[in-house]
Amino acid sequence: MSTRLISPLKRKNSSQYWFRMIVPPRYREQVGKAEIKQSLGTDDLGEARRLCAARQHDWLKKFELIELELKARDTLVGTEAIDGYLNRLSVELGSMDRAISYELEGIALAEADHLECLSLEDLGLKPGDSHPLLGNPYPAYRDSATQALIHSRRDALTAIRKGALSGKEAVERALHLDFLSVTQSTVEEAFEAAGFRVDQNDARFAIAARYLLDRLNEYPLKEAEEMRASWPTPASIAARTVPIAPQAKAHNQTEPASAASAGTAAYDSPLRQRIMGMPTGAMTISQVYEDWAAKQPASARKLCDEWRVSIRRFVELFGDIDVVDVNRDMIIDFREAMARLPTRPKKHVACLPLLDQIDVARDQDLPLLAGATIGKLVTGLRVTLEHAVDPLRLIAFNPGSTVKVKGAKSEVDARLPFTPDELNIIYSDDMRTDPHASFPDSYFWLLMLAPLSGMRIEEMGKLRPQNIRCEKGIWYASIERDSRRKRKAEDAAGIANKGAKTSSSYRDVALHWVIIEAGFLGYVEKQRQARQEWLFPDLEADQYGNRTKKASRDLIKHLRRLGITDQEKVFHSFRHSMRRACRHTSMKEEVADLLAGHAPDSVGRKYGAGAELNVLHKAVNMIEYESLNWAPVIAAAKTRMAKHKTV
DNA sequence: TGAGTTTCAAACGGGCGGGA
DNA sequence: TCCCGCCCGTTTGAAACTCA
């Protein structure tokens, strides 16, 4: 792996410097990507260089941890393959003693083959010269006298049926020299039986070979011990005390650690505890979640509540386990479990444990959670685990980072626009045309504004009287944030403050002439004089600060009563209807986007901060619904407003 | 390695229905 | 009627892909 210092990179369209590092192929599965590209968040080159070096250091550390994890995994694979092989052989031969003897004899034969290594003399080199096969340890036994002794010893022991002893000696020599090739045929056979194919360059080969040699060496073969007493190994061919390269000893240091412990950040200093202001030891998954949730602003309460569901379900399935024990398999199991849960279960099903709910859904063929919901549940888990990575540093990697959810993104909007006939039904109804109908003013105006402004119901619900303004003779509704001071105060009080769906939703919506004609400005003035905080004061906020939950529900019920029973026709359908009406005019798509509060989908279509009010005013007045006769609605609205004046 | 382009994920904001 | 939570849309920035 290259440790060359990486220099920060600057992208054409960005003022910020970036960090970029290629992930070595061996670690890509664990990292989940082939390269790391991260913004350094600075446009200062000096700062960027410093941050870049720090990130490179962090990633190299992470790669080291992955290496440990991979070694642990390889160890498991290698040792299991050898154990399986020896167990099968013992069954085949009748006992483990026989199996070990058989293998020892095989090692002795393999060693004999490898001893035929050319000496310095054979190669025409002088004593003291560097042997070209120095990487191959058997040159240590390259002098012909030693070779002859090993050969004759093996022949003699084999002749008296003590081949296992010569094998034991060969194993000791191979272990001392870390000469793994003597195990080649056995290791290959063991891996093949386990369903793998490895070569001598594979790390798993080395691990399995050393493990085999260790097992053969340590097996208490009574016969061999007794024989050694009778036929002691000649000193000249006993395993020599030769220095072993550090990597040759690595297998002794590679403990079969769990993936999780390999990912655990062992560093847990008092300094970090002081920085974090909390103990930084082990935490369970739900403790990590609570720590994450506690750091979210009041406005994120709904999000926290949704993701608490993820964690609660995960804990129900796997227990409130230490976060270092959470692995990718569990997250995949979690995803699969969520994908099999029934959607909107009846009470008698919802009260069951999750696994029972899955059984019921399967048995009764109930409709299951949508892909988007599964995606969200997995995201909740992923974000919690990310919190364990950074800032808590309880784990080095997020095991959920590479878990995908198919169908998490819906292809189509499930809500449809109203047909002209349906609009006609809605706006011919007594509730709109009879000024004396017992229909709240707020609902009346919501229904008037919706198809002619394209505002979302919650955008209307959060209008304040002062948001209705006039500029150069054009009246408009300003959808904007509250002041920073107000938002800060509300956050501190734990109140969800007034925000919009996205930043592009902050906009000015010019009022359609029908709305002005109907006397909307009189209604606004009335609320202003009454010093009402909200333009529609009779709407009540729910626990998350949503002011139109009930209104939306009531108005949908009302639509159903009018015979519009299609489940895809909802209040939001007014927005779709307006978009459709815009398409029937000469209005440019980007202006329609601005009216609706959508971000344009290409840079070329961006209007900067917005458009001139007169452009929007002209555009909004282009909107027409041919099937609708607004006259009775306007007349009813005027009477409705006049009635208020006389009260 | 750098940069243009495309795709994906996170973080919301919001609509809606079931059930207590 | 209200709460809970499922479900969907949108934007932004990150990540991935591709090519030079």
Side-chain angles (χ1 to χ4, degrees):
Chain A
M1 190 182 349
S2 166
T3 52
R4 187 179 61 82
L5 200 61
I6 294 175
S7 44
L9 112 93
K10 196 163 191 180
R11 312 194 62 173
K12 205 174 182 180
N13 295 329
S14 169
S15 59
Q16 309 282 294
Y17 281 96
W18 290 66
F19 168 76
R20 187 189 189 213
M21 188 178 189
I22 301 299
V23 178
R26 177 166 162 77
Y27 307 140
R28 286 181 187 173
E29 194 187 330
Q30 278 66 32
V31 176
K33 52 199 171 195
E35 64 176 349
I36 300 130
K37 215 191 259 182
Q38 296 165 327
S39 169
L40 291 168
T42 178
D43 56 3
D44 179 78
L45 181 58
E47 175 72 356
R49 282 191 176 131
R50 194 186 62 73
L51 291 170
C52 210
R55 292 207 186 178
Q56 184 181 12
H57 177 262
D58 287 348
W59 275 103
L60 289 171
K61 284 277 170 211
K62 284 181 184 175
F63 292 157
E64 281 174 18
L65 285 171
I66 293 178
E67 184 58 41
L68 279 176
E69 189 182 331
L70 288 174
K71 274 189 179 156
R73 194 184 70 184
D74 290 347
T75 301
L76 200 63
V77 170
T79 55
E80 280 181 353
I82 295 299
D83 286 341
Y85 170 83
L86 289 176
N87 288 342
R88 281 190 300 277
L89 191 64
S90 70
V91 170
E92 204 178 301
L93 299 179
S95 72
M96 184 55 84
D97 279 14
R98 288 183 189 168
I100 296 291
S101 293
Y102 175 86
E103 279 307 313
L104 286 171
E105 286 173 29
I107 295 290
L109 287 170
E111 185 197 43
D113 291 341
H114 287 285
L115 274 174
E116 304 305 326
C117 165
L118 294 176
S119 66
L120 287 175
E121 266 178 16
D122 297 333
L123 292 167
L125 298 169
K126 294 174 197 162
D129 281 353
S130 173
H131 195 286
L133 293 179
L134 204 57
N136 177 340
Y138 264 75
Y141 293 94
R142 65 182 175 272
D143 67 284
S144 50
T146 308
Q147 285 185 13
L149 183 57
I150 292 173
H151 279 307
S152 64
R153 168 95 174 157
R154 180 181 54 78
D155 290 344
L157 289 173
T158 306
I160 55 168
R161 301 178 65 80
K162 309 295 178 196
L165 183 53
S166 74
K168 187 88 192 284
E169 290 171 3
V171 164
E172 286 168 356
R173 285 190 288 270
L175 269 175
H176 249 289
L177 299 170
D178 203 43
F179 187 68
L180 306 177
S181 297
V182 289
T183 65
Q184 187 177 353
S185 60
T186 301
V187 171
E188 283 178 357
E189 200 177 329
F191 273 114
E192 261 184 46
F196 295 95
R197 184 170 280 278
V198 296
D199 59 34
Q200 286 200 51
N201 297 321
D202 194 307
R204 288 173 297 181
F205 175 90
I207 288 165
R210 290 185 187 113
Y211 180 70
L212 173 64
L213 289 173
D214 279 338
R215 272 207 69 177
L216 294 176
N217 190 40
E218 286 161 15
Y219 188 84
L221 196 61
K222 200 177 170 191
E223 188 190 24
E225 294 309 313
E226 285 171 355
M227 283 185 297
R228 195 194 285 278
S230 308
W231 292 279
T233 314
S236 55
I237 59 168
R240 294 173 183 176
T241 313
V242 291
I244 302 173
Q247 66 269 27
K249 280 193 168 178
H251 69 289
N252 295 325
Q253 296 159 357
T254 309
E255 297 298 324
S258 71
S261 60
T264 306
Y267 157 68
D268 184 25
S269 73
L271 171 65
R272 189 200 288 182
Q273 291 195 19
R274 182 149 179 209
I275 293 169
M276 302 297 285
M278 58 187 276
T280 55
M283 286 171 88
T284 66
I285 183 82
S286 62
Q287 286 171 333
V288 171
Y289 164 79
E290 292 301 339
D291 189 68
W292 171 82
K295 291 178 170 65
Q296 304 308 306
S299 53
R301 230 182 82 215
K302 192 180 172 200
L303 184 75
C304 294
D305 286 353
E306 286 199 8
W307 287 354
R308 182 175 286 117
V309 175
S310 294
I311 302 303
R312 201 180 63 217
R313 289 184 177 176
F314 182 87
V315 168
E316 187 180 336
L317 288 172
F318 300 101
D320 194 9
I321 57 176
D322 192 316
V323 72
V324 302
D325 292 329
V326 177
N327 61 41
R328 192 166 181 271
D329 272 351
M330 288 175 180
I331 296 164
I332 292 172
D333 283 339
F334 175 77
R335 179 193 67 195
E336 295 306 309
M338 295 304 104
R340 287 163 178 77
L341 277 178
T343 179
R344 301 186 190 284
K346 304 284 182 199
K347 192 187 171 191
H348 67 278
V349 176
C351 66
L352 297 172
L354 289 178
L355 293 175
D356 291 348
Q357 289 189 42
I358 291 171
D359 289 341
V360 171
R362 189 180 291 130
D363 293 345
Q364 300 179 12
D365 202 22
L366 298 177
L368 307 176
L369 293 187
T373 305
I374 302 161
K376 197 160 192 167
L377 288 162
V378 172
T379 297
L381 198 52
R382 195 186 291 127
V383 169
T384 301
L385 289 166
E386 194 56 40
H387 187 69
V389 174
D390 182 2
L392 296 181
R393 285 162 291 174
L394 296 166
I395 51 176
F397 297 100
N398 184 342
S401 63
T402 57
V403 176
K404 305 268 190 299
V405 179
K406 279 184 186 162
K409 209 164 188 169
S410 61
E411 298 291 321
V412 288
D413 188 343
R415 291 153 314 181
L416 298 173
F418 294 114
T419 64
D421 284 347
E422 286 166 342
L423 286 171
N424 199 23
I425 291 170
I426 295 167
Y427 292 96
S428 304
D429 178 59
D430 284 352
M431 292 293 183
R432 243 77 56 232
T433 55
D434 177 5
H436 308 292
S438 59
F439 198 59
D441 286 346
S442 54
Y443 287 12
F444 178 87
W445 288 115
L446 288 175
L447 277 177
M448 282 292 284
L449 288 163
L452 296 168
S453 71
M455 283 191 273
R456 298 177 178 94
I457 189 169
E458 184 64 13
E459 287 173 344
M460 295 187 271
K462 282 197 176 133
L463 284 173
R464 299 181 195 273
Q466 58 269 31
N467 290 135
I468 308 301
R469 298 179 193 146
C470 182
E471 195 177 305
K472 295 176 188 170
I474 299 171
W475 284 92
Y476 64 98
S478 177
I479 301 172
E480 60 191 3
R481 272 184 192 276
D482 283 333
S483 70
R484 187 181 293 182
R485 188 185 300 171
K486 189 171 176 69
R487 278 183 282 132
K488 209 171 166 184
E490 285 176 341
D491 246 342
I495 303 167
N497 44 54
K498 179 181 167 181
K501 188 175 173 74
T502 64
S503 57
S504 63
S505 298
Y506 297 118
R507 64 195 190 279
D508 293 335
V509 180
L511 296 180
H512 195 281
W513 69 268
V514 169
I515 294 169
I516 305 285
E517 189 63 25
F520 179 64
L521 297 177
Y523 172 81
V524 174
E525 187 53 30
K526 183 179 149 246
Q527 304 309 324
R528 212 190 303 262
Q529 284 176 7
R531 296 186 177 276
Q532 292 288 1
E533 180 180 9
W534 302 103
L535 184 57
F536 303 114
D538 48 336
L539 305 180
E540 281 181 26
D542 71 1
Q543 59 167 331
Y544 300 115
N546 185 318
R547 291 180 47 77
T548 53
K549 211 125 186 155
K550 183 173 181 298
S552 160
R553 198 183 177 95
D554 288 349
L555 290 169
I556 287 168
K557 270 189 199 163
H558 182 67
L559 296 180
R560 302 289 177 257
R561 279 198 295 271
L562 293 176
I564 302 168
T565 53
D566 186 341
Q567 295 297 303
E568 294 179 26
K569 305 290 175 71
V570 292
F571 194 91
H572 200 72
S573 298
F574 284 115
R575 263 170 76 78
H576 291 268
S577 302
M578 194 201 82
R579 271 316 276 259
R580 179 179 275 186
C582 289
R583 286 193 199 104
H584 292 162
T585 69
S586 57
M587 195 187 305
K588 288 180 179 171
E589 190 74 4
E590 52 264 39
V591 176
D593 276 340
L594 284 166
L595 286 180
H598 287 168
D601 58 10
S602 75
V603 175
R605 280 169 51 186
K606 277 192 179 170
Y607 259 53
E612 289 292 332
L613 202 53
N614 57 357
V615 173
L616 296 174
H617 185 230
K618 204 172 159 186
V620 85
N621 281 334
M622 285 181 187
I623 298 170
E624 277 184 30
Y625 295 91
E626 282 180 15
S627 62
L628 293 187
N629 176 13
W630 288 110
V633 184
I634 291 172
K638 281 183 173 169
T639 312
R640 185 182 271 267
M641 291 306 106
K643 196 173 69 177
H644 284 306
K645 275 182 196 166
T646 58
V647 172

